[in-house]
Amino acid sequence: MVLDKKSNAWVHKSETDSPTTGALFTDDSAELGNGLDPTLAFPAYTRYAVVASCFVIQGLSCGLVRAWGVQQEYLAANVYVGEPSKIKTLGYIGTLMYFSLYLWGMLAGWLAEVWSYRKLCFVGIVIMALGQLLASFCKEPWQLCLTEGIVFGLGIGLVFSPTSTAPARWFTKRRGLATGIAVAGVGVGGLVIAPLTEYLVRKTSVEWSLRISAIYIIVLGSIACYFVRVPFQDKTRTLRNFDWYAFGDRRFAIHACMVFFVTAAYIVPYAFLPEFWVAKGLSSQTASVLIAVANVASSVGRVATGFAADYVGVLNSLVLCLTIASISCFVLWPFATGVGVGVVMGLCYGFTAGGYWSLAPLAAGKLFGIDKLASNAGIFYTVSAVGAWLGGPAAGAILSGPGHGTNFIGMSVYVGVLWLAALVLAVVNRTLFSKSIMAKI
């Protein structure tokens, strides 16, 4: 970071090894007035407040996505009994949420960089609360698709990319750990909000559980939004000068394909492993415990892999994560018919698949520069939406094919191949970045 005498602004150069041009930066809401590190213009607690606020917003957004399953189950069992078409429509809502979480990444990342991380997150929080509130007055599943699936989905899509990338802008030595803690809010939010939602549904109703969620979204989310910021923003960039040249970068295309394969594979084990374990003779309660083990491992993995990335390198950690996830599907899944191997499968897959979500924005920053992290990561999240939309249905089609009703070998191979394809692409990008095997990258 150096002072440009002509413009009297700070010139920040990318931390990546690839050649980049300097860009003029000024702070979002304060004058820098210091030397090389723009974060030094802020109180020491600011960076930690950013991580904590991103953790909270990630927990609210993704935790409510997971909590929808509780409300869906209640509606199917108590409200729409004997109406299979409506129950089927309810099933689309979770898919819409998951799809929207990534779909708006490109728009959200770009708006965060050219407008404001804080203001964008606040808009997203308001839309999330509005979606929950409107859903509480819905009487038909198609109305819930509009409010929960589309309105609420837009809200979580607007906050996901900024809160995934903001912590990395505040840290250099502990960038991986900071990002890992922030995105661990996804798992913790699910562990807290899902039981809370179940309690509210049981004690009140689905309608009031939605209204209460709207209240704590707006209260907790607004407080958290106040602390979401970055130490500097490029004020010369506008919505009109989008960096389309990124799509011509070979490494960018390779990384985008890797993201697609990972997202297509990621959700399949979480969705189908409970059915697999029940088909192999375990009780539904045991299957629920095993998938909970995977979810807990996912939260731990997000922090641990971020921590590891600070010491062995982001791209090295990414290759290792993809390797273990692929092995889990090829080797462990077919034999995870009992509790013992099932626990090992849940731990290995949950840890590494969850860890990927810490490494994804960090890898984008390493490959393409930290200055445009939100917009670049946002593009990759939008690519993820396509993988999320196609991956699950393709796996379901394999399972429902001839001879595959209870034979999950085809599905496990399918998921393993997707992880393996992502691994190959990650290795290619890692090699393009540095051919040294021992390099910390």
Side-chain angles (χ1 to χ4, degrees):
M1 202 89 171
V2 295
L3 183 65
D4 182 76
K5 295 181 179 179
K6 293 182 180 180
S7 61
N8 196 33
W10 294 92
V11 178
H12 182 85
K13 295 186 177 180
S14 174
E15 293 183 3
T16 64
D17 294 347
S18 57
T20 56
T21 57
L24 298 181
F25 289 87
T26 56
D27 175 56
D28 192 23
S29 61
E31 292 296 325
L32 291 176
N34 66 82
L36 298 178
D37 187 354
T39 65
L40 296 179
F42 300 89
Y45 67 81
T46 304
R47 62 180 64 197
Y48 305 110
V50 170
V51 173
S53 61
C54 291
F55 175 92
V56 170
I57 294 174
Q58 290 254 324
L60 286 173
S61 57
C62 297
L64 284 162
V65 172
R66 297 189 178 188
W68 163 249
V70 175
Q71 295 160 328
Q72 177 185 342
E73 182 180 1
Y74 180 88
L75 291 172
N78 298 278
V79 179
Y80 302 117
V81 181
E83 300 182 78
S85 62
K86 292 186 177 182
I87 293 175
K88 183 178 180 181
T89 302
L90 286 176
Y92 295 142
I93 297 172
T95 303
L96 278 172
M97 289 179 175
Y98 185 54
F99 179 68
S100 298
L101 181 68
Y102 305 119
L103 176 65
W104 302 105
M106 185 173 175
L107 174 64
W110 188 240
L111 285 175
E113 289 187 350
V114 303
W115 184 35
S116 168
Y117 279 71
R118 177 189 295 165
K119 293 174 183 176
L120 179 63
C121 284
F122 182 73
V123 170
I125 287 293
V126 171
I127 294 175
M128 285 169 56
L130 179 63
Q132 295 283 289
L133 183 61
L134 292 175
S136 70
F137 296 101
C138 293
K139 302 299 181 183
E140 297 293 331
W142 68 267
Q143 297 170 336
L144 289 170
C145 283
L146 294 176
T147 53
E148 283 278 78
I150 296 179
V151 177
F152 178 77
L154 172 61
I156 61 177
L158 291 179
V159 303
F160 186 72
S161 181
T163 54
S164 297
T165 57
R169 300 285 295 271
W170 289 91
F171 294 84
T172 301
K173 292 183 179 180
R174 296 291 179 265
R175 180 172 291 160
L177 178 60
T179 303
I181 292 173
V183 300
V186 173
V188 176
L191 291 173
V192 173
I193 294 178
L196 173 62
T197 301
E198 183 178 13
Y199 173 81
L200 291 173
V201 168
R202 185 161 35 88
K203 293 295 183 179
T204 59
S205 63
V206 170
E207 291 79 8
W208 272 104
S209 72
L210 290 167
R211 291 164 193 157
I212 293 171
S213 68
I215 294 172
Y216 65 69
I217 287 172
I218 204 70
V219 173
L220 297 178
S222 297
I223 295 172
C225 284
Y226 177 78
F227 296 99
V228 178
R229 62 189 306 174
V230 290
F232 52 86
Q233 284 189 273
D234 185 354
K235 296 301 184 179
T236 66
R237 298 175 67 188
T238 67
L239 291 173
R240 294 183 178 181
N241 62 352
F242 184 82
D243 186 14
W244 295 104
Y245 294 102
F247 293 93
D249 187 334
R250 177 176 57 171
R251 295 184 307 169
F252 197 91
I254 292 172
H255 195 74
C257 291
M258 183 211 74
V259 166
F260 170 82
F261 287 127
V262 168
T263 318
Y266 169 76
I267 199 64
V268 175
Y270 286 107
F272 289 96
L273 273 173
E275 183 179 346
F276 166 80
W277 282 318
V278 171
K280 297 303 178 182
L282 299 181
S283 66
S284 58
Q285 291 81 4
T286 302
S288 297
V289 171
L290 291 176
I291 207 66
V293 168
N295 283 317
V296 172
S298 175
S299 297
V300 175
R302 290 166 193 260
V303 178
T305 52
F307 179 78
D310 292 328
Y311 290 92
V312 302
V314 175
L315 301 184
N316 294 333
S317 299
L318 179 62
V319 168
L320 181 60
C321 261
L322 297 179
T323 300
I324 298 175
S326 181
I327 292 174
S328 297
C329 295
F330 278 128
V331 178
L332 293 177
W333 188 347
F335 301 100
T337 56
V339 174
V341 183
V343 169
V344 176
M345 169 64 188
L347 289 173
C348 290
Y349 185 81
F351 188 92
T352 53
Y356 162 81
W357 293 105
S358 295
L359 300 173
L362 294 171
K366 184 70 175 179
L367 290 168
F368 312 110
I370 202 72
D371 304 336
K372 297 180 180 179
L373 177 58
S375 57
N376 285 335
I379 293 171
F380 297 132
Y381 286 138
T382 298
V383 172
S384 296
V386 181
W389 188 261
L390 298 177
I398 292 173
L399 183 64
S400 62
H404 290 80
T406 57
N407 184 355
F408 288 79
I409 295 296
M411 179 182 290
S412 65
V413 171
Y414 159 74
V415 177
V417 167
L418 290 175
W419 281 107
L420 182 60
L423 169 62
V424 171
L425 294 172
V427 170
V428 170
N429 254 351
R430 196 263 181 221
T431 305
L432 290 173
F433 196 93
S434 173
K435 293 182 172 59
S436 174
I437 297 177
M438 303 303 296
K440 177 188 171 182
I441 56 173

